[in-house]
Amino acid sequence: ARLALVWHYQWVILHDFLPTLVGNELTARVLKDGPRFYRPNGEPFIPVEFADGAYRYGHSQIKADYQLQLGGARFPVFPDLAGFRPLAAEHSVDWRLLFDLPGHRPAQRAKPIDGQLPASLIRLPESITGAVEVNAYRSLAARDLQRGQGTGLPSGEAIARAIGATPLTRKELALAEWDGETPLWLYILREAAVRGNGERLGEVGGRIVAEVLVEIVRNDPESYLANNPSWQPTLPSHQAGTFKIRDLLVLAT
Ligand code: HEM
């Protein structure tokens, strides 16, 4: 039963989450042709381009506040929803409010991926950052940029050229007082904003995320891709031929 659940979850990541995040075409291409750049060579790892750049795209999707229960209050992310303590009853999540489930109203949408973060992530609480000397260390955007610089990530433009994508123009980047090439994290957010309508990653962000997620699953000796690549979900779903996160949630509730 554990393995069945893991395989269904891996399926949801590769056939629901990833196509939504990077598009059907890129997902299908990486699943079929394998990676062009990420070479785990049997030892899967998380590359710095993923952890310190591309996958931090999620910081731009966080909203200022969330409704967690039907008819309930909206809670600001900080301080109300900070972790590191027992879960208060009023903070338990009704998943119908965060995922579209059949027969229910559309769930809350994430904020567009556009390079802007809500004020709460620009002024992270001390419970997250610890004591800081410089105010900028409270800002998640500043931390994302610093981390990328610290690990020596290539610019977004450099990766675009390396993968054969057309780099964003200065106008698309819309960075008024910046003449250099663009830090990878910020580039990926602007790319999503202007080439993916704020809803999905573009060529640079999408390629990094898709190659890593697909290959991490493929290199997991327990995964369905490693054991039986033509396996299909067996649990019931709302639409024949598909299996999505909503189907897993319906089974779990
Ligand atoms: C309220 C929501 C979130 C908060 C408060 C938050 C906060 C943070 C903080 C403080 C860090 C460490 C930053 C540093 O000093 O380098 C971090 C790292 C990171 N975050 Fe978030 N984050 C949130 C949501 C997300 C989401 C939705 C994603 C992806 C979809 C994401 C992806 C990452 C990644 C990949 C890292 C680097 C992890 C590592 O290298 O170990 N975060 N986040």
Side-chain angles (χ1 to χ4, degrees):
R2 184 185 69 83
L3 204 54
L5 176 62
V6 169
W7 282 19
H8 281 85
Y9 185 67
Q10 290 169 339
W11 179 275
V12 166
I13 297 295
L14 300 185
H15 294 271
D16 183 10
F17 173 70
L18 195 54
T20 306
L21 182 61
V22 310
N24 290 326
E25 202 194 319
L26 180 58
T27 305
R29 218 177 315 139
V30 176
L31 276 170
K32 181 165 162 283
D33 301 339
R36 284 175 58 205
F37 304 99
Y38 175 53
R39 300 256 147 68
N41 292 328
E43 296 253 348
F45 64 97
I46 299 289
V48 284
E49 292 83 354
F50 181 96
D52 296 336
Y55 210 71
R56 294 187 186 214
Y57 78 85
H59 293 162
S60 185
Q61 282 193 313
I62 302 300
K63 295 165 72 121
D65 52 31
Y66 291 90
Q67 187 184 12
L68 305 179
Q69 293 171 5
L70 273 181
R74 302 189 67 83
F75 293 104
V77 172
F78 294 121
D80 297 51
L81 302 182
F84 310 114
R85 57 192 169 150
L87 184 68
E90 58 179 0
H91 293 157
S92 71
V93 174
D94 182 336
W95 293 105
R96 292 172 293 181
L97 292 168
L98 293 183
F99 290 93
D100 292 338
L101 294 193
H104 296 282
R105 282 202 279 167
Q108 293 161 95
R109 278 16 231 173
K111 191 187 127 323
I113 312 172
D114 56 6
Q116 298 192 351
L117 271 60
S120 54
L121 296 191
I122 297 299
R123 280 186 299 279
L124 289 169
E126 203 169 311
S127 63
I128 300 281
T129 60
V132 295
E133 285 157 27
V134 183
N135 231 355
Y137 295 159
R138 287 235 182 284
S139 156
L140 189 51
R143 296 175 84 97
D144 289 330
L145 291 168
Q146 272 179 340
R147 183 64 62 146
Q149 194 183 36
T151 43
L153 290 184
S155 67
E157 287 87 348
I159 297 196
R161 290 189 295 269
I163 70 172
T166 310
L168 295 180
T169 62
R170 303 235 59 85
K171 194 165 165 234
E172 287 176 311
L173 284 162
L175 299 174
E177 289 167 34
W178 178 263
D179 291 328
E181 298 209 335
T182 316
L184 182 60
W185 174 72
L186 186 55
Y187 183 95
I188 281 165
L189 301 185
R190 290 302 304 155
E191 187 189 49
V194 297
R195 305 242 176 115
N197 204 21
E199 292 185 353
R200 70 186 57 82
L201 301 180
E203 281 180 274
V204 169
R207 165 86 27 205
I208 296 171
V209 168
E211 290 203 0
V212 173
L213 289 188
V214 170
E215 295 312 309
I216 289 284
V217 175
R218 212 195 301 273
N219 281 270
D220 167 3
E222 266 200 349
S223 74
Y224 82 91
L225 276 184
N227 286 278
N228 183 0
S230 57
W231 175 83
Q232 303 254 340
T234 52
L235 291 170
S237 78
H238 281 83
Q239 197 187 331
T242 70
F243 189 84
K244 300 192 171 208
I245 188 70
R246 58 171 189 223
D247 300 307
L248 259 191
L249 286 169
V250 164
L251 287 169
T253 48

